[in-house]
C-alpha cells in the first residue's frame, strides 16, 4: 500500500524533465520533509486544509509544520501553497523560488490564515495541475476530514499523462478519510501518513 516510513536516506533532486535540480552540493545536503515525508522534487506544491474543523490548535500545528518545511527548502527548489475549505485560497499565483527572503515573506502571511467552511479540495487540486507551469514534481495533500469520493478519479484524470506528479497524503488528526487518502497516495507513487493531534 501507499503507507511507508522515511528511512532517512537522501535522493537526488529531480525535476519533471528528469534532470537534476540545482547543484550537487545542495541536493546532497538538503534534508527536507513535511510531517516526516522526505521532499526530493524541485517543484513542491502543498495543498492544505483550512476548513472549519481545523480551527484552533489543529490549524496552528499545520501552519507551524508548513512554515518549518518551507523554511528548510534550499534555494534550488520552488514551492507553491494552496489552501482549501469551501473554496481555494491562493496567496501567490506562481511558483515561489525558495530564497531566504521569499520564504520569510511568504510564511509571514500565515498569521492571517483562518479556518472556516467545508472540506472541498477539488478546486485546489485542479489548480495545481492546470495553473502551475511546470506541473508539480510533488504534491503534499493534507486534510483533517473526509473528502469527496470522486477526488480519486479527478486525480487519475489530472495526473495520468506523460509527466506525473508524486502525491503524498496526510490524514491530520482524524483518520476517517484515511482509506481514500491512502488509495490516492498508492496510485500516484506517494506515501500516506496519519498525523495525530498534538497532546
Amino acid at each position: 500500500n501507499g503507507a511507508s516510513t522515511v528511512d532517512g536516506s537522501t535522493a537526488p533532486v529531480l525535476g519533471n524533465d528528469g534532470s537534476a535540480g540545482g547543484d550537487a552540493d545542495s541536493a546532497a545536503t538538503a534534508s527536507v520533509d513535511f510531517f516526516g515525508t522526505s521532499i526530493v522534487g524541485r517543484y513542491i506544491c502543498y495543498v492544505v486544509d483550512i476548513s472549519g474543523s481545523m480551527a484552533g490548535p489543529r490549524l496552528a500545528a499545520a501552519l507551524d509544520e508548513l512554515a518549518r518545511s518551507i523554511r528548510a527548502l534550499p534555494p534550488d527548489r520552488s514551492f507553491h501553497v494552496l489552501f482549501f475549505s469551501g473554496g481555494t485560497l491562493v496567496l501567490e499565483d506562481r511558483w515561489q523560488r525558495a530564497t531566504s527572503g521569499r520564504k520569510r515573506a511568504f510564511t509571514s502571511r500565515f498569521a492571517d490564515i483562518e479556518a472556516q467552511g467545508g472540506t472541498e479540495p477539488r478546486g485546489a487540486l485542479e489548480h495545481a495541475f492546470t495553473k502551475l507551469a511546470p506541473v508539480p514534481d510533488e504534491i503534499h495533500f493534507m486534510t483533517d476530514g473526509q473528502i469527496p469520493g470522486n477526488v480519486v478519479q479527478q486525480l487519475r484524470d489530472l495526473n495520468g499523462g506523460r509527466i506525473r506528479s508524486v502525491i503524498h497524503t496526510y490524514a491530520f488528526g482524524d483518520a476517517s478519510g484515511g482509506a481514500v487518502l491512502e488509495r490516492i497516495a498508492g496510485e500516484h507513487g506517494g506515501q500516506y501518513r496519519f498525523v495525530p493531534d498534538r497532546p
Side-chain angles (χ1 to χ4, degrees):
N1 60 40
S4 60
T5 58
V6 176
D7 61 10
S9 61
T10 59
V13 181
L14 297 178
N16 261 324
D17 58 1
S19 61
D23 56 54
D25 289 341
S26 63
T29 59
S31 177
V32 188
D33 71 279
F34 185 60
F35 286 117
T37 298
S38 292
I39 293 175
V40 297
R42 277 181 76 184
Y43 292 91
I44 312 303
C45 183
Y46 302 89
V47 180
V48 178
D49 189 347
I50 56 169
S51 61
S53 57
M54 287 287 294
R58 208 174 261 188
L59 180 63
L63 292 177
D64 283 350
E65 176 65 12
L66 178 60
R68 184 203 62 78
S69 179
I70 289 172
R71 287 194 296 263
L73 292 171
D76 63 341
R77 316 284 180 97
S78 294
F79 66 93
H80 193 75
V81 180
L82 297 164
F83 294 105
F84 69 90
S85 53
T88 304
L89 174 62
V90 183
L91 297 184
E92 297 287 347
D93 61 1
R94 65 190 66 183
W95 288 109
Q96 302 297 297
R97 191 76 169 177
T99 61
S100 57
R102 191 72 216 121
K103 292 185 291 187
R104 185 167 54 251
F106 192 91
T107 57
S108 71
R109 299 170 67 183
F110 292 173
D112 298 324
I113 301 296
E114 297 181 355
Q116 57 185 346
T119 306
E120 177 48 83
R122 287 173 291 190
L125 293 168
E126 181 176 3
H127 185 108
F129 284 99
T130 63
K131 302 297 185 183
L132 295 177
V135 297
D137 295 319
E138 295 178 22
I139 292 175
H140 294 263
F141 173 30
M142 187 223 81
T143 180
D144 77 334
Q146 296 187 14
I147 60 175
N150 60 4
V151 169
V152 174
Q153 185 59 52
Q154 178 198 27
L155 287 171
R156 289 173 183 159
D157 294 339
L158 289 169
N159 199 27
R162 181 180 63 84
I163 297 177
R164 290 177 58 86
S165 300
V166 172
I167 303 177
H168 302 291
T169 60
Y170 308 83
F172 188 71
D174 183 345
S176 62
V180 173
L181 292 171
E182 186 168 4
R183 184 176 181 182
I184 289 169
E187 290 187 4
H188 300 277
Q191 298 179 21
Y192 162 75
R193 291 183 182 275
F194 170 66
V195 181
D197 284 325
R198 290 176 177 173

